[in-house]
């Protein structure tokens, strides 16, 4: 189907006592995202030197296994090392952000072809203004354009994404992202895609939320010859507590199926689950993934496989 079907991964991948992890990942997924290893604090905790070890291990393993890698994420309000907060002027922070982006993207050039350049810049507050962060506060709203320009300069061949959550359906927050991206395209900022995180639960109604209409309007934003790429980037569908387990697993499978079908309907570029199995999910209590604690496929796995075979 030409789809990147990915999973977020972490150091567990290299645990010799946990061979099923790598086996499951490599058998079923053709794309990976570092769950944490490429975040600012993961790569650049020390201002004077990058630490690429863990991220390199993930990327090299993926390349060896024929998997593509999404780079996640260059500029985010979260996971920032303390030194970033000590910066006091616009000029110095802009320079630091550009240096970070340039150093990271240059290092992975040729191995990472897609970057989440800016993550979660829109707030959940009424009206959905830009989210307070050192970047917004000191540099101003144009930190977003500047981050994309620096990434493009470091790797002109990479696809550059804006990524956010609670933007899967038509709603006020996705409207705000839409306006942001529209403005960037109008200003000639190099942006090629939008990622929709899809942190969901079994109450989510893909049709009711109008996910397809939302994804399609972003696709249509692109230039005449090339549509905007879209991906579901951090999919997990949590079970709701205190409900019959079989019903919940079936409901979870239906949400995965509907979401993947919608993604395929708009020719999305990728569908990434946020983890491989339930026990290494960041929301392990909600058992939100397609493999269970024993690496066994769940009803959601069957639904996904069936949808891909349609
Ligand atoms: C989460 C990871 O899954 C956790 O392990 C970590 O402690 C915090 O970050 N949005 C994102 C992801 O873009 O990077 C976040 O990942 C989840 C929310």
């Amino acid at each position: 189907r030409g789809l990147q079907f990915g999973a977020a991964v972490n150091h567990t991948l290299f645990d010799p006592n946990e061979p099923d992890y790598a086996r499951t990942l490599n058998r079923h997924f053709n794309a990976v995202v570092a769950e944490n290893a490429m975040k600012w604090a993961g790569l650049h905790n020390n201002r004077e030197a990058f630490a690429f070890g863990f991220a390199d291990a993930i990327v090299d393993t993926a390349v060896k296994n024929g998997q593509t890698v999404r780079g996640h994420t260059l500029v985010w309000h979260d996971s920032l090392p303390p030194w970033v907060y000590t910066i006091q002027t616009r000029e110095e922070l802009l320079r630091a952000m550009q240096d970070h982006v340039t150093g990271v993207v240059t290092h992975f050039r040729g191995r990472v072809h897609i970057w989440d350049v800016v993550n979660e810049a829109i707030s959940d507050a009424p009206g959905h203004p830009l989210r307070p962060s050192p970047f917004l506060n000191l540099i101003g709203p144009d930190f977003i354009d500047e981050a994309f320009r620096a990434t493009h300069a470091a790797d002109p061949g990479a696809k550059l994404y804006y990524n956010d959550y609670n933007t899967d359906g038509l709603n006020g927050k996705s409207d705000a992202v839409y306006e942001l991206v529209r403005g960037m395209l109008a200003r000639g900022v190099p942006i090629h895609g939008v990622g929709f995180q899809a942190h969901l639960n079994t109450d989510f109604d893909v049709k009711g939320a109008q996910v397809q209409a939302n994804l399609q309007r972003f696709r249509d934003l692109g230039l005449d010859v090339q549509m905007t790429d879209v991906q579901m980037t951090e999919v997990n569908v949590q079970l709701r507590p205190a409900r019959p387990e079989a019903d919940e697993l079936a409901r979870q499978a239906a949400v995965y199926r509907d979401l993947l079908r919608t993604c395929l309907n708009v020719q999305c570029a990728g569908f990434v689950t946020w983890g491989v199995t339930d026990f290494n999910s960041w929301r392990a209590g909600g058992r939100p993934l397609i493999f269970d604690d024993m690496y066994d496929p769940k009803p959601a796995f069957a639904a996904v496989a069936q949808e891909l075979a349609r």
Side-chain angles (χ1 to χ4, degrees):
R1 305 293 292 259
L3 182 73
Q4 298 300 305
F5 191 82
V9 301
N10 53 55
H11 64 276
T12 319
L13 178 58
F14 309 106
D15 185 345
N17 297 317
E18 200 68 27
D20 286 345
Y21 182 85
R23 204 176 289 143
T24 306
L25 179 73
N26 295 335
R27 169 145 187 225
H28 296 291
F29 297 86
N30 63 357
V32 303
V33 181
E35 183 168 5
N36 293 304
M38 287 193 193
K39 291 170 181 175
W40 198 314
L43 292 178
H44 205 181
N45 202 43
N46 170 2
R47 188 172 186 171
E48 313 310 325
F50 289 100
F52 288 118
F54 285 132
D56 274 341
I58 289 173
V59 172
D60 290 344
T61 306
V63 169
K64 203 178 70 202
N65 291 321
Q67 292 153 324
T68 62
V69 183
R70 299 191 79 238
H72 175 79
T73 175
L74 296 168
V75 179
W76 188 29
H77 65 278
D78 203 333
S79 189
L80 290 171
W83 64 263
V84 172
Y85 293 93
T86 66
I87 296 176
Q88 310 242 348
T89 68
R90 168 182 156 93
E91 200 180 32
E92 191 186 348
L93 186 56
L94 182 56
R95 177 82 46 82
M97 183 186 81
Q98 289 165 335
D99 288 350
H100 174 75
V101 165
T102 305
V104 173
V105 173
T106 304
H107 178 80
F108 292 108
R109 192 167 50 203
R111 294 183 293 159
V112 174
H113 304 285
I114 297 175
W115 283 102
D116 283 338
V117 179
V118 173
N119 195 36
E120 303 180 352
I122 305 278
S123 81
D124 298 305
H128 303 286
L130 293 178
R131 178 193 301 278
S133 71
F135 308 109
L136 179 67
N137 304 352
L138 219 50
I139 300 173
D142 63 330
F143 84 88
I144 299 175
D145 291 6
E146 294 298 343
F148 278 81
R149 289 197 181 105
T151 308
H152 184 65
D155 186 354
K159 295 258 195 184
L160 311 190
Y161 274 66
Y162 176 81
N163 191 54
D164 215 327
Y165 65 90
N166 282 354
T167 53
D168 317 297
L170 285 177
N171 58 46
K173 194 171 177 187
S174 63
D175 288 349
V177 174
Y178 184 82
E179 287 310 319
L180 173 72
V181 175
R182 200 162 68 106
M184 292 170 74
L185 287 167
R187 290 189 295 279
V189 176
I191 177 169
H192 315 100
V194 180
F196 301 84
Q197 293 184 9
H199 296 289
L200 307 173
N201 65 40
T202 54
D203 284 337
F204 190 77
D205 176 356
V206 174
K207 287 206 179 68
Q210 295 184 267
V211 175
Q212 184 159 332
N214 187 44
L215 298 183
Q216 190 62 52
R217 69 172 168 164
F218 281 94
R219 293 283 281 142
D220 294 342
L221 257 182
L223 309 171
D224 290 348
V225 283
Q226 194 168 352
M227 306 228 275
T228 317
D229 287 343
V230 298
Q231 297 209 18
M232 311 307 302
T233 53
E234 303 182 11
V235 183
N236 54 157
V237 182
Q238 295 195 63
L239 305 181
R240 305 300 307 229
R243 296 195 192 159
E245 163 157 315
D247 294 356
E248 278 297 280
L249 290 172
R251 180 68 209 136
Q252 181 179 56
V255 176
Y256 267 98
R257 181 201 61 213
D258 291 350
L259 201 61
L260 179 57
R261 183 172 299 179
T262 302
C263 194
L264 292 168
N265 283 346
V266 302
Q267 277 126 353
C268 67
F271 187 99
V272 178
T273 66
W274 203 239
V276 177
T277 76
D278 283 341
F279 87 88
N280 56 46
S281 160
W282 77 314
R283 293 284 186 262
R287 296 155 61 195
L289 296 170
I290 63 177
F291 294 96
D292 70 14
D293 290 352
M294 305 305 293
Y295 296 95
D296 285 328
K298 296 162 64 181
F301 172 85
V304 162
Q306 210 170 40
E307 193 56 36
L308 289 172
R310 246 158 51 95

